Amino acid sequence: MTGVLSCTYQIFKRGVLEMTEKKKKKEKSDTNKGDTNKRLEAFWYPLIVQIIVLLIVPVAAWLTGFLSLPETMTDINTRLTNLESEIKDLDIKSNFVSINKDITALGNRLSVVEGLVLNNVSFVLQPTDKAIESMKVEYASVKNEFYMSPPTWNSTDIIAKDLVSGKEYSAEELIGEKLLLPYISDGKEVYFYGQFDEKNQWDGNCLINIYANDQLALIMEAEYNHGLLIEYKQVLPAQTLSGENVWIVAERINIGDSNSGDSWNYIRDKECEKDFDFDTVTNEDIMTVQDFRSTIDTYLEGFYHGNTSNGFYNDNTGDAYLVKYNEDGTVRTLYSGMFKDGIFNDGSGNAWYIAKNENTDYMYYQGKFESGKPLHDEASYFENGLTPDRINEILQGKDFNCDLKWDFKESL
């Protein structure tokens, strides 16, 4: 490389000397030319020399890099050899086995989940007889109106089957998964949509729809905490004590031997018909309580706030109340006091009601109630012909979680 640079320098030097000699000869032959030409010659020659130098230096640098390429390739080859040695030191086989196990486990998990994503498929899991034994919806004798019995299966028991592929699933494969399980019980179609925990207990939100002869018989939307019922919402067809057909919509919390909350009775002038098939049900077909309420087009017949047990209004706190409404939404009866088996029953003397029959004024009674009727004993108080101001005076300081619209159009 040094020789190349030396040769280049000699050529450059010879060229400069020749140019200098030509310049001298030119100056001798042009002695009669003016000062202007001399200044131009003095400017251009040094400039040309600088341009030649600028061209030669990059070329020399390129030649240096080109001639040193074999040394760079040798360095790359050495590094590749070292990298190959490092790779051989890694436990690739062991790592591959571990990764393969993870992928296999994930694949097994996905094979379960793919049958549970119900929005975009037309099949569900069919519960086995073992599962159905643990999924009976029963009427509660003390704690709740309706409830689902806790599972009795073991983790290794087969509890569901994919109707399309025929694959069977054990309980442990379905822990924590949101399941839609349709089945027949006592001639009724039951649709369970919920999950259970690692101890095989209902957990989180569990939704049940029951149809009898394709007509809605129950919606129960319950919130469980590892098997313990915390709160629930229900819809069921029923009759009032006076024989009125109603839909009962309830929202309650579990307080031990009873439940506390609110119940709305809506006039039931028709049944709620099932509009899907048992074999092609999806989670979108399962009705929540809110879904049902959005379909109600009849008037509110009654509202109850208090405790319930055995399927009745049972409350001995004295804080419960019941409102009965007319068709136009005005109050027919407002009662506050104790209940027993769904009727007014209070011997404390502190219970009271404001009531109005079809052709009477509002009246007020405070005292004892027995079997749904006021006793009118010597300790009781009765007042007739109530005005709006008097009603407001009676209700002062009392809170009611419902509308209270009074009818004074004809009586006053």
Side-chain angles (χ1 to χ4, degrees), residues 4 44 48 62 221 270 297 400 404:
V4 173
W44 280 110
I48 293 172
W62 177 81
E221 189 175 348
K270 61 183 177 181
D297 56 6
F400 297 93
L404 295 177

Side-chain angles (χ1 to χ4, degrees), residues 158-170:
I158 301 299
I159 64 169
K161 181 179 180 179
D162 187 329
L163 296 179
V164 176
S165 67
K167 178 177 173 55
E168 295 181 336
Y169 296 97
S170 65

Side-chain angles (χ1 to χ4, degrees), residues 214-260:
D214 290 336
Q215 296 178 346
L216 182 67
L218 175 69
I219 297 175
M220 181 164 181
E221 189 175 348
E223 188 72 26
Y224 292 90
N225 182 17
H226 301 294
L228 177 64
L229 178 62
I230 304 300
E231 59 184 6
Y232 68 90
K233 302 176 183 179
Q234 284 187 353
V235 173
L236 66 155
Q239 277 191 342
T240 65
L241 294 177
S242 62
E244 194 83 59
N245 291 329
V246 295
W247 290 107
I248 298 178
V249 179
E251 295 183 6
R252 303 192 168 278
I253 60 173
N254 184 11
I255 57 174
D257 291 338
S258 62
N259 304 291
S260 179

